[in-house]
Amino acid sequence: MAASLREPRNLHHGRAALVLRPGNVDEVCRILALATATGTPVVPQGGNTGLVGGQVPDASGRALVLSLSRLDRIRALDPASDTVIAEAGVILQRLREAAEAVDRLFPLSLASQGSAQVGGLLSTNAGGTAVLAHGSMRALCLGLEVVLPTGERLDDLRTLRKDNTGYDLSQLFIGAEGTLGVITAAALTLAPRPRGVQVAWVAVPSPEAALALFALARRHAGQALTAFELVGETVLAFALAHVPGTTRPLDAGMPWSVLLEVSSPRSQEDAGGIVEALLADGLQAGVLADAVLASSLAQSAVFWRLRESLSHAQRPEGVSIKHDIALPLARIPEFIARGERLVASLAPGARIACFGHVGDGNLHYNVSQPAGAAPEAFHALRETLSAAVHAVVLEMEGSIAAEHGIGQLKRAALAASAPPVALDVMRRLKAALDPAAIMNPGKVL
């Protein structure tokens, strides 16, 4: 059971009476009906890749962990309508490969795609690097099959693009982190597979310059701009130091980098031409210092591997206080400047590892302990530092949980920052759908 009782960052640990692994929807229905009748807490769990403790039971030992890993069938895949019906335990990488086999693309892409599962991705409304062009899991979902806490099966598994018959019930469960029911299957959208993909690594002098480059990229590429990632020099240096086989793409000596990707429905030449044109304009406008275009699929993979290793590369540097936030695009540079001053005042010597999907406003604003400092002393600053960072984010009309969810980690922050009426509506929904309060207790609310 040990692997089911902790999460990847080892911040949250729990105990459980049982770990159950149902093999079909009927078994999930019977488990939840019995759990409601006996008042037994249930913690749904997918690939256990979440970073806010939403998939980990509490310390009481009363809960059972409900693993969806055996519900792993792709029930239907229809390239004519660009839809797929996948069960909750289907691993993201397998789903992407199945789509590719019929010349389609499932757009969601993230570093944990080798273990993250469809049900967990929906329950946390996962985003990843392609939200800019394709949206988060909420946008990719057409309908759900859900087992309610009472054991009833809600069949809302539609593949229609338009359906205005009453409330959109599926949307209630996306992003609810397993607190309202258990997602067992989903109808998801596919996209045409691009005929050309061009990736470039670009050195920029500042976040303001990165935003100016983003505006140029949108003007040149439109919807073909499928990724625009901002990477700070500090976290890039961590990756180069600790991830074997990584090399610096450019020696421009700039404090920021951008990884951008353009996907063309026509050809590789078209994608390359778009990127070359926007980089030429960026160079003329003075918003970039240098750039390198990936010359092959292998080099594109090298650039993406460097980007996707940034989170793991912070671990060897000691304790890291992490913030998954979203901001209005225009205010990202202001936040970064204010954040530097804030961190310097509260944690002198701490190193800011800032990177993220700046094209959709999502920053991973992480603060690593000062080099050589005592880990325990820096860890003790977690609540104070996070509260201060979140206060600045909220003042700028941003979000304290961009793509990782609330779970256990941000429950108090949500309670302190969400409008009272919104919290009251959430509690009413919870009470109506989960009258015995068995679903993932202690998470979100």
Side-chain angles (χ1 to χ4, degrees), residues 166-387:
Y167 302 142
D168 190 343
L169 298 176
S170 290
Q171 291 294 322
L172 287 175
F173 301 93
I174 300 173
E177 301 184 49
T179 61
L180 301 179
V182 176
I183 295 171
T184 52
L188 303 166
T189 62
L190 302 175
R193 196 159 65 92
R195 296 306 181 221
V197 177
Q198 183 63 66
V199 176
W201 192 280
V202 188
V204 295
S206 65
E208 290 86 351
L211 282 191
L213 180 63
F214 177 66
L216 280 175
R218 288 301 295 265
R219 192 170 76 201
H220 279 271
Q223 290 301 307
L225 182 65
T226 44
F228 195 94
E229 302 285 301
L230 182 69
V231 180
E233 174 60 26
T234 297
V235 73
L236 177 60
F238 289 171
L240 295 170
H242 301 299
V243 180
T246 54
T247 58
R248 184 179 290 277
L250 287 168
D251 291 318
M254 289 286 107
W256 297 91
S257 299
V258 166
L259 174 63
L260 64 86
E261 178 185 86
V262 168
S263 302
S264 168
R266 290 176 287 276
S267 68
Q268 182 63 36
E269 292 74 18
D270 182 53
I274 292 171
V275 174
E276 288 174 6
L278 79 87
L279 293 178
D281 277 4
L283 195 60
Q284 185 175 11
V287 299
L288 65 91
D290 198 2
V292 58
L293 277 68
S295 59
S296 64
L297 290 175
Q299 191 174 19
S300 294
V302 167
F303 288 172
W304 274 113
R305 179 171 178 264
L306 185 56
R307 163 60 184 87
E308 290 170 351
S309 69
L310 298 179
S311 291
H312 301 297
Q314 295 165 73
R315 292 178 183 174
E317 296 291 333
V319 173
S320 179
I321 301 175
K322 301 193 175 189
H323 309 95
D324 166 43
I325 59 175
L327 294 149
L329 283 182
R331 304 199 73 176
I332 286 176
E334 178 190 355
F335 169 80
I336 290 174
R338 289 182 62 177
E340 288 179 357
R341 296 192 294 270
L342 182 69
V343 171
S345 66
L346 294 176
R351 297 160 295 168
I352 298 171
C354 181
F355 62 99
H357 324 302
V358 73
D360 56 48
N362 177 197
L363 284 182
H364 299 292
Y365 194 77
N366 304 335
V367 185
S368 291
Q369 67 177 67
E376 297 79 8
F378 187 69
H379 189 276
L381 292 174
R382 182 179 300 276
E383 289 188 14
T384 300
L385 184 61
S386 291

Side-chain angles (χ1 to χ4, degrees), residues 100-114:
E100 187 174 348
V102 294
D103 199 31
R104 295 295 185 272
L105 172 72
F106 185 68
L108 188 78
S109 177
L110 33 75
S112 61
Q113 62 192 35

